[in-house]
Amino acid sequence: MINMARPQIGDDEKKAVLEVMDSGIIAQGPRTKAFEEAFASMCTTKHAIATSSGTTALHIAMLANKIGAGDEVITSAFTFIASANSVIYAGGRPVFVDIDPKTFNIDADLIEAAITPKTKAILPIHLFGLPCDMEKIMAIAKKHNLLVIEDACQSHGATFKGKKVGSFGTGTFSLYPTKNITSGEGGMITTNDDAVEEACRVIRNHGMRKRYYHDEIGYNFRMTDMHAAIGLAQIAKLEMFNQKRQENAAFYDKNLKGVVTPFVPEGCQHVYHQYTVRVPGGKRDALRAYLAEHEIGSEVYYPVPIHKQGFYQTDYGYHISLPETEKAASEVLSIPVHPGISAADREKVAATINEFMAKG
Ligand SMILES: *Cc1c(COP(=O)(O)O)cnc(C)c1O
């Protein structure tokens, strides 16, 4: 079976975890601090704050940016549910605009029309490892005095015009095992803003500045040092992992026929968390079944856009239509691109897809 994902765990990760276990400090401690420093350096930000997951990174980022009751946050609905849920956790309301059909990311040209007096922030999601149009998004944010919180959970190390995603506004990352690097479970927030950093640290740890004196409501969203040890070993390999993903993607770009391969706008460096094609002619699900028969994994990210999730309709009253988002959900298929696949694997994947698509 050629799987969709496989965490690349080596002796470095194993040894690092054992060292933590022998050290006497297994919860948040010196390894977490070292991982934060390495992550900030990778992301070229002043600060990085480790969290228990990408979801809690997003949740904290919303609270640290003071998103609250009545605030609107403009984002896209073609993503993992955590992106939009984070706004709801904070008491705000996600306002969905449609995606650019070429990139699957938020269509920056539709943002201004969605701004109301309640709009407080834009939440661009760098989906599948491809940066959003941060030039347009930052210009709109500046013009309308909006905050920018980036969901970079799928795009560790990706750049827009040479600048790392997660360094434009408040950045949020996931370290789940399928992501470009992992810590088992875990997340990271990145920022250049000292006040946001302070707020993130306090919210992460039960609103405490001084031990057992609680200034505000907070949470336990901390990372453990065992997870941080894995993350530290992984971040040293991020560039190599991303390079392998890019090599696999370049092979598919060159060799796939009959499907629409990913579009990369000028100035964007794609890190291919997913390699996602469009399958025309209503053949997506049949192609997926054909690949499964040939022991090739594939996945639909995402079959149900967030505004179409049942509870978003019943509990939150979303009855909107986002044509490009809905069309993408019915056509996309992601195929194995992770660093663990061999040259023979990717050849088999491409040949099997081409064989199916040629059948008409
Ligand atoms: C994975 C992911 C998250 C959530 O991260 P977890 O670590 O799974 O909590 C949020 N947004 C996007 C786009 C993701 O892919």
Side-chain angles (χ1 to χ4, degrees):
M1 186 78 194
I2 304 173
N3 291 312
M4 275 301 285
R6 181 178 170 81
Q8 304 294 302
I9 299 296
D11 289 341
D12 300 359
E13 286 80 359
K14 293 176 195 167
K15 193 164 153 269
V17 172
L18 288 177
E19 275 171 19
V20 170
M21 293 179 114
D22 285 337
S23 75
I25 303 172
I26 57 176
Q28 183 183 293
R31 293 288 87 190
T32 303
K33 185 164 184 291
F35 186 29
E36 289 177 341
E37 284 167 8
F39 205 97
S41 162
M42 180 283 288
C43 198
T44 69
T45 53
K46 193 167 170 196
H47 307 289
I49 305 97
T51 62
S52 53
S53 71
T55 303
T56 55
L58 277 158
H59 186 173
I60 294 172
M62 289 297 152
L63 296 173
N65 281 288
K66 300 195 162 55
I67 303 301
D71 294 334
E72 292 179 355
V73 176
I74 296 175
T75 189
S76 49
F78 191 53
T79 177
F80 183 57
I81 191 111
S83 312
N85 278 1
S86 68
V87 179
I88 293 180
Y89 299 152
R93 184 166 178 90
V95 172
F96 299 116
V97 304
D98 213 348
I99 56 167
D100 174 344
K102 294 217 315 253
T103 62
F104 303 117
N105 282 332
I106 189 166
D107 186 340
D109 292 333
L110 302 178
I111 293 175
E112 278 196 290
I115 294 173
T116 75
K118 292 180 181 171
T119 308
K120 187 102 182 263
I122 306 171
L123 171 63
I125 300 146
H126 309 297
L127 200 72
F128 303 143
L130 179 68
C132 294
D133 188 338
M134 294 312 291
E135 202 160 76
K136 279 187 189 160
I137 291 170
M138 296 311 289
I140 295 165
K142 193 169 172 204
K143 180 173 159 198
H144 297 273
N145 198 22
L146 303 175
L147 297 161
V148 174
I149 300 162
E150 302 172 68
D151 183 337
C153 285
Q154 302 188 353
S155 55
H156 319 62
T159 56
F160 178 85
K161 303 213 164 154
K163 190 170 155 63
K164 288 278 164 81
V165 302
S167 71
F168 290 86
T170 303
T172 59
F173 293 83
S174 166
L175 298 159
Y176 186 73
T178 58
K179 304 293 161 90
N180 294 40
I181 53 169
T182 185
S183 60
E185 291 271 8
M188 199 65 79
I189 306 162
T190 49
T191 179
N192 289 315
D193 184 321
D194 296 342
V196 169
E197 184 234 8
E198 222 276 289
C200 288
R201 294 194 186 283
V202 171
I203 295 161
R204 177 181 65 175
N205 195 26
H206 277 302
M208 271 197 287
R209 285 182 181 78
K210 187 174 160 192
R211 210 162 171 73
Y212 304 123
Y213 290 78
H214 303 272
D215 302 331
E216 59 192 84
I217 190 79
Y219 302 86
N220 174 359
F221 286 160
R222 298 181 302 261
M223 178 179 279
T224 77
D225 258 26
M226 289 176 289
H227 293 93
I230 301 171
L232 254 178
Q234 289 264 302
I235 201 168
K237 305 175 196 170
L238 173 61
E239 230 177 86
M240 184 257 289
F241 287 160
N242 282 349
Q243 248 168 42
K244 286 194 175 175
R245 288 175 181 273
Q246 286 159 349
E247 281 165 26
N248 291 335
F251 177 86
Y252 288 142
D253 285 347
K254 203 165 150 231
N255 290 286
L256 288 180
K257 296 184 185 76
V259 296
V260 183
T261 56
F263 171 74
V264 183
E266 181 137 5
C268 287
Q269 200 206 25
H270 198 318
V271 294
Y272 296 99
H273 169 61
Q274 298 298 345
Y275 188 92
T276 303
V277 300
R278 269 185 204 264
V279 187
K283 297 207 290 190
R284 191 262 314 272
D285 295 336
L287 172 59
R288 188 164 184 231
Y290 189 76
L291 291 172
E293 273 169 40
H294 290 79
E295 306 216 298
I296 296 169
S298 66
E299 190 60 75
V300 176
Y301 302 110
Y302 293 88
V304 184
I306 296 185
H307 67 295
K308 294 284 186 188
Q309 298 285 348
F311 80 101
Y312 266 76
Q313 304 204 323
T314 55
D315 297 7
Y316 299 103
Y318 284 84
H319 299 290
I320 51 169
S321 149
L322 300 167
E324 293 298 349
T325 297
E326 289 154 35
K327 183 156 185 271
S330 71
E331 289 185 347
V332 291
L333 191 65
S334 301
I335 59 175
V337 74
H338 64 86
I341 64 168
S342 66
D345 289 339
R346 70 192 188 199
E347 270 166 36
K348 182 180 168 182
V349 173
T352 310
I353 291 172
N354 292 346
E355 198 177 280
F356 178 85
M357 295 310 293
K359 287 198 289 195

